Amino acid sequence: MKTFTIAVIAGDGVGTEVIPQAKRILERIAKIHEITFAFQDFDWGAEHFFRWGRMMPAGAIDLLEPCDAILLGAVGHPDIPDHTTLNGLLLPIRRAFDQYANVRPAYLYPGVESPLAKARGGDIDLVVVRENTEGEYAPVGGFMYQHQPEEIAIQTSVFTRRGVERIVRFAFELARKRNKQRRVASITKSNAQGYSMVLWDRTFQQVALQYPDIETESLLVDAAAMNFIRRPQSFDVVVGSNLFADILSDLSAIIVGSMGLAASANLDPLRRFPSMFEPVHGSAPDIAGKGVVNPLATILSAGMMLDHLGMNEAAGAVESAVAAVLADAKVRTPDLGGHNSTEEVANAVLEKLG
Ligand code: GGG
């Protein structure tokens, strides 16, 4: 029987509520498909920070490296600055394992209401591909004269030709694999950022020449935001830098109904290291502990993990079960207008899985 070792970091806030539900789904999948998941739970995050002064231990990366994949809940705590939690856990993992492709699908499931009046189930079906290891998130910069009136902060973006080329190529390959509209939209702000984003545009144009079967479009990020609202159905694969694609993927999540449905994969496409799967949402302190967070984003992320592990049939089963629960429109958490609990929604998915 095949065994997959999965590192599990539930993290903070609602992360500790959605991860147990995703594990229940994976346990059921394991039974159906005669495989085993060996979960290794790591209690890293805010509580670890309060106790030890760091979000994860010094040897954390070495502990994660032998695993087949990482399943992450959420990071963030109201009593710790957000840059401390993010830079102490999530971002170092993405960089250490060169998870350069952050894949964030946004599909308007039948049965889910979009805030866009005209959008109907199936109308929106796009994937935001986010460069995940450099760009605006590069840990390069510093303060001078900290906390003084003359304080200076410098934050340097890092764009490399190699980094841009590989994420753009990934986006083109994904458009081919999806075989839907066969279109890639590249997002920059090269009118204002005349070095990094110009390098991005040039690289995009060069890579595009190798994909004559894929239609292309280059948009400034402000126009892209507008067009996500005005003509969301025209997008297929959307590729952008670390910051821009992060912002656009929140927008794409909300036009397909809820952040509670937004799944993501942080991939090392070369498979040298474990890839990491997480809901796009954060720790949501406002609803943490109430048992009402939507578990579907994490369950769909677990589905993406199955796909990455080569369990395509199982991944399809998870996605279909979630789609069926949403189409029934009976059991849903408050973010989707329902009154059910996190556990009840996961139960409904389990029922569909059989
Ligand atoms: N699901 C992990 C999490 O807590 N994400 C929230 C967050 O702040 N993410 C920042 C990012 O993806 O760059």
Side-chain angles (χ1 to χ4, degrees), residues 87-233:
N87 285 288
L89 198 150
L90 187 53
L91 303 188
I93 296 174
R94 287 177 180 163
R95 281 194 296 265
F97 296 136
D98 206 14
Q99 296 165 346
Y100 66 84
N102 188 334
V103 180
R104 298 183 158 190
Y107 176 66
L108 180 55
Y109 285 95
V112 175
E113 196 181 333
S114 167
L116 303 182
K118 290 185 196 151
R120 298 286 169 268
D123 282 356
I124 305 172
D125 184 0
L126 62 87
V127 181
V128 175
V129 172
R130 165 186 180 187
E131 198 296 312
N132 213 28
T133 52
E134 54 175 53
E136 307 89 340
Y137 274 50
V140 180
F143 294 108
M144 277 172 74
Y145 315 118
Q146 206 169 355
H147 307 303
Q148 304 303 315
E150 63 272 39
E151 185 166 11
I152 298 170
I154 295 178
Q155 182 99 40
T156 305
S157 296
V158 175
F159 285 79
T160 64
R161 180 181 283 276
R162 166 184 171 268
V164 177
E165 187 175 334
R166 65 185 185 171
I167 196 64
V168 166
R169 195 174 295 286
F170 181 92
F172 276 99
E173 291 293 336
L174 182 62
R176 265 191 188 157
K177 189 170 159 210
R178 273 165 61 83
N179 198 19
K180 291 190 172 167
Q181 300 186 54
R182 297 176 79 84
R183 184 179 301 145
V184 177
S186 165
I187 312 303
T188 61
K189 186 72 184 170
S190 41
N191 56 346
Q193 300 201 296
Y195 304 112
S196 55
M197 296 280 162
V198 169
L199 170 67
W200 181 292
D201 279 351
R202 265 198 269 118
T203 308
F204 180 73
Q205 283 152 15
Q206 282 163 8
V207 174
L209 294 176
Q210 293 158 33
Y211 294 87
D213 52 316
I214 306 293
E215 227 182 282
T216 63
E217 167 174 45
S218 283
L219 288 171
L220 299 178
V221 65
D222 42 343
M226 188 175 68
N227 287 327
F228 266 35
I229 304 297
R230 196 170 56 170
R231 53 170 175 87
Q233 71 288 350

Side-chain angles (χ1 to χ4, degrees), residues 272-330:
R272 299 153 297 171
F273 305 109
S275 290
M276 179 163 65
F277 302 83
E278 51 158 330
V280 173
H281 66 71
S283 57
D286 53 331
I287 56 164
K290 296 185 178 162
V292 294
V293 58
N294 192 338
L296 295 179
T298 313
I299 291 171
L300 288 167
S301 304
M304 293 177 84
M305 183 178 81
L306 292 170
D307 194 45
H308 182 73
L309 294 173
M311 305 209 46
N312 314 71
E313 203 186 310
V318 170
E319 160 108 44
S320 302
V322 169
V325 169
L326 292 171
D328 285 352
K330 286 185 200 140

Side-chain angles (χ1 to χ4, degrees), residues 15 28 51 65 83 97 114 200 202 232 250 256 264 310 313 321 327 338:
R28 175 68 59 86
R51 194 146 180 224
E65 188 162 353
H83 66 268
F97 296 136
S114 167
W200 181 292
R202 265 198 269 118
D250 270 31
V256 298
S264 80
E313 203 186 310

